[in-house]
């Protein structure tokens, strides 16, 4: 009998974790699927960890991982994948925005021999106008830059043990999970799902964090922005050549060139292009610096399985 691990990253979700565990238990038990729930508390500042331990006391199939601080969702997902013991592992948000029933459909597809099953959003659910627009904009940029459809991609996925191990074997610290699962390849199926409304608590994404997210992930996944630097340089060069020819022609025709304004404009143009390019390069260097430091992706302070504290046994070989 194969076991399904469900990885649930949770950050300040005290209002909903217990319910999520209950709903998943109902749905998966009814479908006769043997499972474990891997709840990763991403350094929540509320009572999320207390809720997880309480749920664990009632259900031995709950594995709780507690981070020493907030490391971000990607790190939480990664830790969950590393601790999951199942033959097949699903990743979903713990706010019930990813419908648990879809897990059953994904599981069937896995049984049919698919190794990566990607959840695809049918619509984006209810969001404020501004959030929808800004999210649309940044996912648009990310889709172009990473060549993976980001508009409807989600972190809701199911993966065979083989795919999970492939992802765990990747050495980079800055992982962009959503695109990485498609990068590893394998036989892939897609399942559409309707994003549900968040039942309790609030979204952790502000417009600013979306901008940061877009930038970090583009840089983590592709070097395309570095090529923009070359393109911008080429355009500048062409423009300046045209200006040189124009000035020379004017000079030989005996006209005086309107020097001051043109010089100023050219100077400003080139200056800003150079600074922006340096910024992009600097961003990559910062990433390289972070990668070579080989800091752990996350630090686990505690692990429980059911009602037992297994922090010592597991010795979470910190990645
Ligand atoms: N999350 C996390 N760490 C963070 C931010 C979010 O583990 O730093 C989790 C959060 O608890 C939830 C999931 O990531 O389970 C998605 O977050 P959220 O619902 O805020 O995002 P949205 O659904 O609005 O895109
Ligand atoms: Mg959510």
């Amino acid at each position: 009998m194969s076991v399904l691990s469900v990885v649930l990253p949770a950050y300040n979700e005290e209002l909903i974790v217990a319910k999520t565990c209950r709903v998943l238990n109902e749905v998966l038990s009814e479908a006769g699927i043997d499972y474990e729930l891997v709840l990763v508390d991403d350094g929540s500042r509320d009572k999320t960890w207390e809720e997880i331990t309480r749920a664990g006391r009632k259900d031995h199939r709950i594995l709780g991982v507690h981070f020493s601080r907030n490391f971000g969702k990607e790190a939480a997902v990664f830790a969950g994948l590393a601790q999951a013991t199942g033959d097949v592992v699903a990743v979903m948000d713990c706010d019930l925005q990813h419908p648990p029933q879809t897990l059953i459909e994904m599981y069937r597809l896995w049984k049919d021999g698919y190794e990566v099953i990607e959840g695809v959003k049918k619509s984006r659910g209810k969001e404020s106008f501004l959030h929808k627009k800004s999210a649309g904009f940044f996912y648009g940029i990310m889709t172009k830059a990473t060549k993976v459809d980001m508009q409807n991609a989600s972190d809701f996925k199911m993966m065979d043990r083989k795919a999970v191990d492939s992802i765990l074997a990747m050495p980079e610290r800055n992982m962009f999970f959503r695109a990485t699962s498609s990068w590893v390849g394998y036989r892939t199926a897609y399942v559409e799902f309707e994003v549900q409304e968040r039942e309790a608590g609030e979204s952790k994404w502000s417009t600013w964090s979306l901008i940061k997210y877009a930038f970090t992930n583009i840089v983590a996944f592709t070097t395309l922005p570095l090529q923009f630097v070359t393109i911008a340089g080429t355009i500048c060069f062409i423009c300046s050549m045209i200006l040189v020819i124009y000035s020379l022609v004017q000079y030989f025709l005996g006209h005086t060139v309107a020097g001051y304004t043109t010089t100023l404009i050219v100077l400003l143009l080139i200056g800003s292009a150079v600074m922006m390019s340096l910024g992009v390069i600097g961003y990559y260097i910062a990433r390289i610096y972070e990668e070579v430091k080989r800091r752990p992706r996350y630090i686990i302070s505690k692990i429980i399985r059911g009602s037992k504290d297994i922090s010592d046994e597991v010795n979470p070989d910190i990645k």
Side-chain angles (χ1 to χ4, degrees):
M1 180 84 184
S2 40
V3 177
L4 163 71
S5 300
V6 185
V7 171
L8 302 142
Y11 178 54
N12 294 345
E13 305 281 8
E14 61 177 0
L15 297 170
I16 196 133
V17 270
K19 179 165 185 202
T20 306
C21 293
R22 212 164 51 237
V23 172
L24 282 172
N25 177 22
E26 272 166 31
V27 172
L28 295 173
S29 304
E30 199 176 308
I33 299 173
D34 205 4
Y35 71 92
E36 77 173 348
L37 303 182
V38 185
L39 290 145
V40 184
D41 176 8
D42 186 10
S44 301
R45 263 165 289 169
D46 62 0
K47 295 214 159 51
T48 303
W49 182 245
E50 281 80 351
E51 288 293 330
I52 292 173
T53 41
R54 184 176 313 155
R57 278 198 290 274
K58 280 186 263 169
D59 192 345
H60 65 279
R61 289 168 298 191
I62 288 180
L63 185 69
V65 179
H66 186 246
F67 276 4
S68 62
R69 66 165 168 89
N70 179 251
F71 280 93
K73 186 181 176 185
E74 304 285 314
V77 167
F78 210 88
L81 292 178
Q83 297 302 328
T85 57
D87 309 287
V88 54
V89 184
V91 175
M92 68 191 285
D93 284 0
C94 87
D95 53 10
L96 288 175
Q97 281 189 293
H98 297 157
Q101 285 78 11
T102 309
L103 280 178
I104 316 272
E105 209 180 324
M106 290 177 158
Y107 188 79
R108 297 268 141 76
L109 284 164
W110 175 71
K111 281 271 177 201
D112 288 346
Y114 288 96
E115 290 153 320
V116 175
I117 299 107
E118 306 262 2
V120 180
K121 291 178 202 157
K122 244 193 236 165
S123 64
R124 292 192 52 87
K126 272 217 182 104
E127 288 168 335
S128 80
F129 179 76
L130 192 72
H131 190 269
K132 203 171 234 160
K133 281 282 164 254
S134 55
F137 179 65
F138 293 114
Y139 285 126
I141 296 178
M142 275 155 63
T143 305
K144 287 233 161 55
T146 59
K147 298 195 185 66
V148 179
D149 179 13
M150 286 294 125
Q151 289 290 359
N152 296 314
S154 70
D155 284 338
F156 189 17
K157 304 172 192 298
M158 192 176 282
M159 286 171 297
D160 184 75
R161 175 52 45 199
K162 271 187 285 185
V164 174
D165 288 342
S166 300
I167 290 180
L168 290 177
M170 292 187 174
E172 70 245 48
R173 312 283 107 170
N174 266 301
M175 172 78 73
F176 180 28
F177 178 64
R178 204 170 286 195
T180 308
S181 67
S182 86
W183 185 90
V184 293
Y186 293 108
R187 211 173 151 219
T188 307
Y190 298 88
V191 172
E192 282 202 326
F193 71 93
E194 201 74 61
V195 180
Q196 307 296 306
E197 253 182 85
R198 200 177 231 288
E199 293 199 18
E202 51 191 34
S203 172
K204 275 83 199 167
W205 296 103
S206 62
T207 303
W208 176 238
S209 63
L210 265 172
I211 299 178
K212 278 205 299 197
Y213 183 69
F215 219 81
T216 312
N217 289 328
I218 290 169
V219 169
F221 207 73
T222 164
T223 51
L224 207 67
L226 287 176
Q227 268 125 55
F228 286 142
V229 176
T230 327
I231 296 168
T234 315
I235 293 172
C236 272
F237 181 73
I238 293 169
C239 289
S240 50
M241 281 328 275
I242 293 170
L243 218 75
V244 165
I245 294 167
Y246 169 79
S247 313
L248 283 178
V249 169
Q250 292 284 319
Y251 177 78
F252 285 118
L253 289 178
H255 302 297
T256 42
V257 183
Y260 184 65
T261 325
T262 0
T263 319
L264 205 69
I265 292 173
V266 171
L267 216 69
L268 285 175
L269 255 171
I270 295 179
S272 48
V274 168
M275 277 195 271
M276 281 193 312
S277 312
L278 278 178
V280 173
I281 294 168
Y283 208 82
Y284 276 93
I285 294 178
R287 291 288 122 167
I288 296 169
Y289 176 60
E290 269 166 37
E291 293 284 344
V292 296
K293 273 197 291 191
R294 305 264 93 188
R295 290 251 172 101
R297 292 185 176 95
Y298 49 81
I299 297 169
I300 295 175
S301 60
K302 210 179 267 179
I303 301 190
I304 56 155
R305 182 176 285 283
S307 53
K308 257 177 53 194
D309 186 337
I310 55 167
S311 314
D312 300 333
E313 297 165 38
V314 173
N315 182 21
D317 66 321
I318 290 162
K319 295 239 161 58

